[in-house]
Amino acid sequence: MIKLAKNVSLKKYSHFKIGGQADFFVEPKNLEELKEVLEKAKKEGMKKIFILGGGTNMLFDDKGFRGLVIRPVFNKIEASEISPDDIEVKAGSGLLVGELLNFCVEKNLSGLEWAGGLPGTLGGAVRGNAGAFKGEIKDSVIKVISFNLTNGKITERKNKECDFYYRTSIFKKKGNNALSNKELIIEVVLALKKGNGENIKNSILEKINYRHLRQPLNYPNIGSIFKNVNIEKVPQATLELSEKEIKTDPFPVVPAAFLISEAGLKGKKIGGAKISEKHPNFIINFSGRAKSSDVKKLISFVKKKIFSKFSIYLEEEVVYLKP
Ligand SMILES: Cc1cc2nc3c(=O)[nH]c(=O)nc-3n(C[C@H](O)[C@H](O)[C@H](O)COP(=O)(O)OP(=O)(O)OC[C@H]3O[C@@H](n4cnc5c(N)ncnc54)[C@H](O)[C@@H]3O)c2cc1C
């Protein structure tokens, strides 16, 4: 019988090291355990449920969460040969991307090298269509299997049905018919190619080293706070100013980090949180004691400044969980 733990600190599960307690917390290892958890939640009359992955993109509130946090630790992985060159990998959503990459190196599988150093779980990566170095998880997804927490239905969606786009997918959609936080991704099937293990490993290490050089990884953080800005949304004068900075990843964008830097906001502190000087699209918990309110204030400060200077509305990439 799986037990729901009570009053669990979310700080421990947050890459930011910020967050109060969740009333209930559980880590099911498979679908049977997940179903058992939902039965219990129903019996106890729990209304609010939140799905957690690696907590690498999450801002928890200092007041915690008045509900149940489900952190699926579905970690099974298996590869099957489709042709001498093509390999299909079936992986559990709770698998860390780093563990998936180790598997790829071990089995000589190529296609995910761009994800070197990408923290978090496979489920989290699929939900937000994580990407870097001109790669995105959607490029390798064949299908995604998910479980609807409301009606218990299992759905298998082919890549095209997942509505992948820049840092989003059908699993992130909010509003009418929202799947966000309703469908828990349980398994992902990926298409990879046979490659050379040594080359794959070196390519992954290259990305990890690049991240260490460019990102403030010595401090608690949750990666890029804002999405980069599609050049179609950038006024002409700012476009001219940012001409040399435009990146095509996956379409032409002005990096949010460039705008924040141009606005002179590097190093700006509120309470225990600070805009990183090393990578201005990162907010770091430099003191180790930042409050969620410090981070929220810093985020709205940046948005206001960028809007007044460039007439650009920055959109958050990170997820804030209300208590
Ligand atoms: C240092 C650093 C560097 C980063 N670099 C990049 C980068 O290069 N590119 C990039 O795209 N992102 C990057 N990120 C952001 C983050 O790592 C990714 O968004 C990651 O994919 C999130 O996965 P997670 O498991 O940590 O999700 P979490 O942070 O735990 O959750 C994020 C969202 O996904 C949902 N979720 C998680 N698991 C599931 C599931 N199984 N089913 C349904 N919903 C789920 C949660 O409900 C939540 O809404 C970086 C973060 C850090 C800290």
Side-chain angles (χ1 to χ4, degrees):
M1 284 281 272
I2 190 160
K3 273 205 166 150
L4 309 186
K6 281 186 188 164
N7 302 326
V8 173
S9 168
L10 290 173
K11 196 183 255 186
K12 221 172 97 183
Y13 295 93
S14 144
H15 210 74
F16 228 161
K17 299 281 165 272
I18 294 177
Q21 293 185 341
D23 287 351
F24 297 95
F25 188 95
V26 69
E27 295 184 304
K29 288 190 284 300
N30 50 46
L31 196 54
E32 285 65 42
E33 286 195 351
L34 175 63
K35 286 180 181 167
E36 214 184 295
V37 165
L38 293 170
E39 279 292 310
K40 279 193 179 173
K42 204 170 160 189
K43 259 193 211 151
E44 308 263 336
M46 286 177 202
K47 293 250 160 55
K48 288 198 327 187
I49 293 183
F50 184 74
I51 307 161
L52 179 61
T56 65
N57 212 18
M58 291 293 315
L59 174 60
F60 296 121
D61 199 282
D62 293 324
K63 294 194 187 92
F65 181 61
R66 305 288 72 78
L68 168 66
V69 173
I70 301 180
R71 186 167 180 268
V73 285
F74 302 172
N75 292 343
K76 269 198 179 163
I77 182 162
E78 59 186 43
S80 41
E81 199 173 290
I82 302 302
S83 79
D85 277 343
D86 299 290
I87 311 293
E88 216 174 82
V89 171
K90 216 188 254 183
S93 63
L95 205 71
L96 292 174
V97 171
E99 292 168 337
L100 174 60
L101 293 181
N102 289 342
F103 180 87
C104 289
V105 170
E106 206 180 285
K107 306 271 183 206
N108 304 310
L109 304 177
S110 177
L112 292 174
E113 292 87 330
W114 61 268
L118 179 78
T121 62
L122 179 59
V126 166
R127 189 234 187 213
N129 186 24
F133 304 102
K134 302 202 174 208
E136 288 179 297
I137 197 73
K138 74 159 175 48
D139 304 337
S140 304
V141 169
I142 299 177
K143 61 184 175 190
V144 179
I145 297 113
S146 60
F147 179 88
N148 189 304
L149 299 177
T150 318
N151 60 19
K153 204 174 136 199
I154 292 179
T155 307
E156 200 176 289
R157 286 186 182 82
K158 296 204 181 93
N159 183 309
K160 282 234 162 78
E161 295 168 302
C162 294
D163 291 354
F164 287 120
Y165 191 61
Y166 176 58
R167 298 298 175 270
T168 193
S169 75
I170 196 163
F171 303 102
K172 195 169 171 178
K173 293 250 161 84
K174 297 198 170 128
N176 287 346
N177 304 322
L179 293 191
S180 177
N181 212 39
K182 225 175 258 163
E183 283 211 12
L184 186 149
I185 297 164
I186 48 183
E187 193 176 81
V188 185
V189 181
L190 302 159
L192 300 175
K193 292 267 179 208
K194 256 274 153 67
N196 172 297
E198 204 49 33
N199 294 345
I200 296 166
K201 186 173 167 186
N202 288 337
S203 177
I204 292 170
L205 287 177
E206 227 175 72
K207 317 295 187 291
I208 294 176
N209 291 339
Y210 181 95
R211 286 177 185 271
H212 276 278
L213 284 176
R214 301 288 180 102
Q215 300 176 350
L217 303 182
N218 293 337
Y219 295 96
N221 69 80
I222 44 172
S224 291
I225 298 289
F226 302 104
K227 292 182 188 174
N228 292 329
V229 189
N230 188 332
I231 58 164
E232 285 167 13
K233 292 186 181 161
V234 178
Q236 191 55 34
T238 309
L239 208 51
E240 280 162 23
L241 176 77
S242 14
E243 207 176 2
K244 289 199 182 112
E245 306 293 329
I246 292 172
K247 287 202 303 186
T248 304
D249 194 8
F251 45 75
V253 289
V254 173
F258 171 73
L259 298 172
I260 298 167
S261 171
E262 277 301 296
L265 301 178
K266 278 182 181 182
K268 165 78 187 168
K269 286 182 198 164
I270 294 187
K274 176 166 123 174
I275 294 176
S276 164
E277 278 118 345
K278 196 169 177 182
H279 192 313
N281 198 10
F282 276 55
I283 290 179
I284 54 173
N285 178 1
F286 74 96
S287 64
R289 287 187 299 277
K291 297 196 177 99
S292 55
S293 53
D294 297 339
V295 178
K296 278 163 62 187
K297 280 181 204 155
L298 205 44
I299 289 176
S300 38
F301 178 82
V302 171
K303 285 170 91 164
K304 272 189 203 136
K305 287 279 176 197
I306 297 299
F307 190 76
S308 70
K309 193 164 168 67
F310 301 114
S311 303
I312 290 173
Y313 180 77
L314 284 181
E315 258 180 76
E316 286 96 323
E317 187 175 314
V318 296
V319 179
Y320 165 65
L321 180 63
K322 282 189 197 151

